[in-house]
Amino acid sequence: MSKTEFELTDSVTYVKGVGPRRAKELEKLNIFTKYDLLTHYPRTYEDQRYITPIARATVDEQGIFVGTLSNIDLRETSRLKIITAILTDETASIQVIWFNQQYLMKLLHSGTRIMIIGKVKFDSWSGVLSINQINSFSILEPGEKVTLGIKPVYPATAALNQSFFRTAIQNLLDAMPPVKEILPAPIIKKLNLMPLDIAIRQIHFPANAEILKQARRRLAFDELFLIQCGLMLIKRQNTVEQLGISCKKNGELVQKVFESLPFKLTGDQLKTFETVAQDMENPQPMRRLIQGDVGSGKTVVAMLALVKAVENGYQGAFMAPTEILAAQHFNTFTKMLENFGIRIGLLSAKVTTSKKSRAEIYNKIANHEFDIVIGTHALIQDEVKFKNLGLVITDEQHRFGVTQRAKLGRKAEVVPDMIVMTATPIPRTMTLTVYGDLEVSLIKQMPPGRKPIKTSVKTVRSRKKVYEFVREEILSGRQAYVVCPLIERSEYESLHYIDPATEIFAMLSNGIFKDIPCALIHGKIKPAEKDEIMSRFHGGEIKLLVSTTVIEVGVDVPNATVMVIENAERFGLSQLHQLRGRVGRGSEKSYCILISNSKEGAAKARLDLMESTSNGFELAEEDLKIRGPGQFFGEAQHGLPDLKVANIFRDVETLLEARDAAENFVTSENDLNYFASLRKNLALAYGEKFSQINQA
Ligand code: ADP
Ligand code: MG
């Protein structure tokens, strides 16, 4: 196929070397256009600059070897088909082994010259040195020279190998006219960034390590800068272009509720509420993130804000991530606000199981018969219509995707105020990326009188002792949690060592806690039953609660002072920290006991860290380092934009540069046309993800 104009949006079939069959394969990697192929960046690189003489082959090290084959042989065992051959260069010979690639017998002959990249192994059984972990190899034509350099390694498939990608991308780069610069010249100059055209070419085929580093920095900067500009634009839209509602100064209702609180607010709580109140009085829509470690008392701040909305004649919505939590907030709010004539509704899967009760609740929401509605995801269904929604609060936001947050906001005629609350101590760089459009309030202080939680790590051997201790605590009036990673015994053999909640429950309730009211709670238990168990635990009737992580977020039972976590190595640090936050909520001394038999170094290090610090931020940073953002935030829900080059943990410096540059750029009086083209670039690069951000 030929085509005169080169467009990055052209189908990838216009690239030399990509026919219809391969194009179909590329689709599996989400590559449809030239642009997609161009930004199919290397996963890593192979340093193929130096050939290793066979005489210098080193055990357990990778080398590039070039030589001639002889003694090619195929052996078959019951499970393996093994090809062995001898590779010889000017210095020595070495054995080469291929596993289960018998088709190579047709291609390899005595006298064939090959280049092979692989690891050298010493087989103590046969006493032979061999190259048997082969990364790649190629057959050299007679007289062919070996090309050396830094080679890209692409995410590939069974049907599309490295040499396909290397050739196709090289062809694409050869045909591509110089890429136009997208960044404003002053930014490039100030930050000394590599020109875009060079960066795009060099990231695929870098001349050397330093140039590669610069190319990566430039492309990472672009991604981060575009996102930051996007976030700044959203912020600007909020503050300049949109008009929200404007509340009066705090009046009698807020004052009365405030005075009825059973405790004095901490300085941070007070300051946060004052800021929130001010935001609400402002005609611009409030967009605020309240960040505070578990137990720091975010709920009461949210409640006061909701009361303020109600005082001004609006409805408020409070969205929680789980049924248990929604029910808990509903109970707390009802207790504290009923006397003031504030009407509170609960919308969750349980109360809406029957069509009739659901319709009734929807009606009451639509007719403003509820002032505050608390609920789970059920709140963002299309059928839910508010009459006069003025404030939307989402609790434990990281559980919700960015889109969900946006959807609730769109439920109102006017633009409602919005608060996002999170207990996950998100590192600052992450906050800037995920919540860059929000103002941030921090609640750092803990309510007074909290005693630190004593954390200790024990092995299964000490289990009996641990539960004897738990029993003593219960007999002296306290309550306890036992958390297990699984509900039932896994069918997978590799997970057999995990003692599941059902079995731990049976063991405890039939054994040492026979005479003590125990309950089991997990995700497979019906919502109604779950609620009942939780309220009996809340009321102090149930003393010991065995559960899975359903109790992870937000559950608040101040009398519970002990938490035992079984198979603690199965949880990430942030999760352990969240779990631990369920105890230590009252004035009694609290304990968290982590049971684990894991000898694995990383797992042990994690648990030891839990023992030594209770600082959520510290733990979160560690956790991110260990697990990466995806797992940290729980799969697809993390709300992070899809970055191809940048890594917001590794590229912190670039992120801050991008943030800075974007801040100056968007606030200075720049031509709106430029924003339009930025938006286009952003959409091209990040597709749907950006349109989501854009709506938030
Ligand atoms: P989180 O920030 O984790 O959501 P909560 O709002 O659930 O924390 O508060 C944890 C506990 O602390 C609750 O029992 C709450 O009533 C209590 N609490 C909140 N603020 C204060 C305060 N200023 N003084 C004493 N107790 C408080
Ligand atoms: Mg909470």
Side-chain angles (χ1 to χ4, degrees), residues 11-193:
S11 157
V12 73
T13 51
Y14 288 103
V15 176
K16 195 171 138 203
V18 183
R21 194 177 54 80
R22 278 173 163 159
K24 264 243 124 29
E25 286 294 329
L26 282 170
E27 284 178 12
K28 292 183 191 157
L29 294 170
N30 274 325
I31 297 172
F32 299 92
T33 63
K34 287 178 180 171
Y35 179 83
D36 297 336
L37 185 63
L38 184 68
T39 55
H40 188 65
Y41 294 124
R43 178 164 59 76
T44 177
Y45 301 83
E46 271 171 10
D47 189 349
Q48 297 186 14
R49 286 175 298 174
Y50 313 101
I51 293 174
T52 317
I54 292 176
R56 298 241 302 271
T58 312
V59 174
D60 286 336
E61 275 187 19
Q62 171 150 302
I64 304 170
F65 304 94
V66 176
T68 308
L69 292 175
S70 63
N71 302 65
I72 302 160
D73 189 27
L74 174 68
R75 263 190 306 133
E76 298 194 21
T77 71
S78 57
R79 282 169 41 235
L80 291 173
K81 302 199 168 53
I82 303 168
I83 298 179
T84 56
I86 301 296
L87 183 73
T88 306
D89 70 4
E90 306 77 45
T91 64
S93 294
I94 191 168
Q95 178 172 259
V96 186
I97 305 177
W98 285 272
F99 295 102
N100 291 334
Q101 298 183 59
Q102 56 275 30
Y103 66 91
L104 289 177
M105 285 305 282
K106 289 205 199 85
L107 304 173
L108 304 176
H109 306 286
S110 225
T112 304
R113 264 183 83 227
I114 65 169
M115 176 171 96
I116 188 162
I117 300 170
K119 221 179 203 176
V120 176
K121 289 282 167 190
F122 177 70
D123 182 2
S124 52
W125 186 66
S126 63
V128 170
L129 260 193
S130 62
I131 306 171
N132 70 6
Q133 285 183 8
I134 297 169
N135 265 339
S136 69
F137 82 99
S138 51
I139 295 172
L140 302 170
E141 301 298 323
E144 181 180 343
K145 272 234 179 121
V146 177
T147 53
L148 296 173
I150 298 175
K151 295 282 169 67
V153 178
Y154 293 98
T157 67
L160 300 170
N161 60 16
Q162 292 305 327
S163 86
F164 162 75
F165 278 108
R166 286 174 189 166
T167 314
I169 289 173
Q170 186 64 64
N171 289 342
L172 174 65
L173 292 177
D174 289 346
M176 183 173 76
V179 176
K180 281 204 198 81
E181 195 49 69
I182 62 168
L183 288 183
I187 292 180
I188 295 184
K189 183 142 178 273
K190 181 165 171 230
L191 295 171
N192 200 8
L193 295 168

Side-chain angles (χ1 to χ4, degrees), residues 93 159 322 445 455 465 497 499:
S93 294
T322 65
Q445 262 169 332
T455 302
K465 265 211 189 122
Y497 73 96
D499 295 314

Side-chain angles (χ1 to χ4, degrees), residues 263-266 269 294-299 447 450 556 585:
F263 43 72
K264 203 166 152 272
L265 292 190
T266 63
Q269 283 173 318
V294 273
S296 61
K298 295 180 291 295
T299 316
R450 295 275 165 83
D556 185 35
R585 305 199 137 226

Side-chain angles (χ1 to χ4, degrees), residues 612-673:
S612 64
T613 181
S614 58
N615 181 322
F617 280 88
E618 220 173 279
L619 289 166
E621 296 269 4
E622 276 310 308
D623 210 16
L624 275 167
K625 274 189 220 147
I626 298 169
R627 301 201 300 167
Q631 285 185 39
F632 180 81
F633 274 98
E635 298 321 312
Q637 290 286 309
H638 55 67
L640 281 174
D642 203 5
L643 300 166
K644 284 185 167 172
V645 181
N647 171 320
I648 57 171
F649 308 109
R650 214 178 39 211
D651 301 324
V652 173
E653 206 177 309
T654 311
L655 172 61
L656 295 177
E657 283 171 349
R659 173 84 180 174
D660 235 34
E663 220 153 37
N664 288 328
F665 184 67
V666 174
T667 46
S668 68
E669 276 312 305
N670 270 301
D671 180 6
L672 276 173
N673 284 331

